[in-house]
Amino acid sequence: RLLKQMAEEGFLERDAVTRAYGPALMVLELSHLVRSTTQLFPLLQQALQGLCSKSGHTGYISVLDGLDVLVLFVQSGSHPLRLMTHPGHRSPAWATSTGRALLALDSDDAVRQRFAAGLPPISANAPADVQELIARLDQVRSQHYASALNEALPGVGSVSCAVSDPATRERLALCLSFPSASADTTSIQALAQELMTEASGIGRLVGDPLWAR
């Protein structure tokens, strides 16, 4: 009865041969309208505001730029954080969760080419060479999020997810940052799950093949 009513209202149409229901032209047009007006950044910005309000942590939206990751937007949290970066700040992509979340979208060969000159030493916790970086990127691809503790910024931990829009070719990372002294495996995984939930919803909306799977 519900399907029949939806068909009568123009949301569904029925195949004359198989009698199966499918989306009607109205739904397809609405989907196209939503997709054409959707922009990745404001979607991530809205999600980050909710995540920071819920967790109390500081959040970032960043983009990959050469060997660096560049902060585009900062959402302050309610918990004090000793070190906080600002829009326009650059960090080494290989030594940050945002950078590795974005680098994981590329092939291993592309990563080797990007860092053909090697990795300058940053800290004991950061990847020491390209092979170690690629090993960490494999883990990011497997679990769909990246984490970092005391790497580019001492005393700071973070978790990140990346979302890409195939229509605009935008690739942005969503991040929550927190004092590393208060972090443990359970809390990091809980934050990662919150991030992945938001990233997955946005990714499916913009057609990101990673999150569509």
Side-chain angles (χ1 to χ4, degrees):
R1 289 199 301 270
L2 177 59
L3 292 174
K4 181 180 179 181
Q5 184 177 359
M6 292 179 69
E8 291 173 349
E9 295 296 329
F11 293 105
L12 298 176
E13 60 183 20
R14 200 166 191 180
D15 189 279
V17 178
T18 65
R19 308 303 293 164
Y21 287 98
L25 183 60
M26 179 192 300
V27 174
L28 297 176
E29 289 177 340
L30 180 60
S31 174
H32 175 73
L33 176 63
V34 171
R35 179 64 189 87
S36 64
T37 58
T38 294
Q39 296 180 359
L40 184 57
F41 183 85
L43 291 172
L44 293 176
Q45 191 177 34
Q46 182 178 10
L48 190 64
Q49 290 169 345
L51 287 166
C52 293
S53 176
K54 181 178 180 180
S55 68
H57 296 311
T58 299
Y60 300 90
I61 298 174
S62 304
V63 64
L64 193 63
D65 185 26
L67 305 183
D68 299 328
V69 66
L70 176 68
V71 175
L72 300 179
F73 174 78
V74 180
Q75 177 66 47
S76 299
S78 58
H79 300 327
L81 187 63
R82 186 167 58 88
L83 293 174
M84 189 176 76
T85 58
H86 302 281
H89 180 85
R90 290 177 177 271
S91 299
W94 68 92
T96 58
S97 64
T98 48
R100 290 200 289 267
L102 291 164
L103 288 170
L105 300 177
D106 291 333
S107 66
D108 289 350
D109 286 342
V111 173
R112 290 188 183 97
Q113 184 176 0
R114 185 186 294 268
F115 296 102
L119 304 183
I122 296 296
S123 68
N125 291 340
D129 52 40
V130 175
Q131 199 54 42
E132 184 180 349
L133 170 61
I134 288 175
R136 296 206 194 184
L137 297 182
D138 285 340
Q139 183 179 13
V140 175
R141 295 174 187 129
S142 174
Q143 63 190 16
H144 301 310
Y145 72 90
S147 61
L149 288 174
N150 301 314
E151 294 190 36
L153 291 175
V156 176
S158 63
V159 291
S160 300
C161 291
V163 182
S164 59
D165 185 338
T168 62
R169 303 182 70 179
E170 286 181 287
R171 290 179 168 186
L172 299 174
L174 194 65
C175 169
L176 287 175
S177 184
F178 47 85
S180 58
S182 63
D184 55 35
T185 301
T186 301
S187 63
I188 290 175
Q189 289 179 344
L191 288 176
Q193 187 59 56
E194 296 284 349
L195 270 175
M196 287 190 290
T197 298
E198 295 294 337
S200 176
I202 295 171
R204 291 197 303 270
L205 179 62
V206 301
D208 184 341
L210 171 68
W211 296 108
R213 293 196 299 268

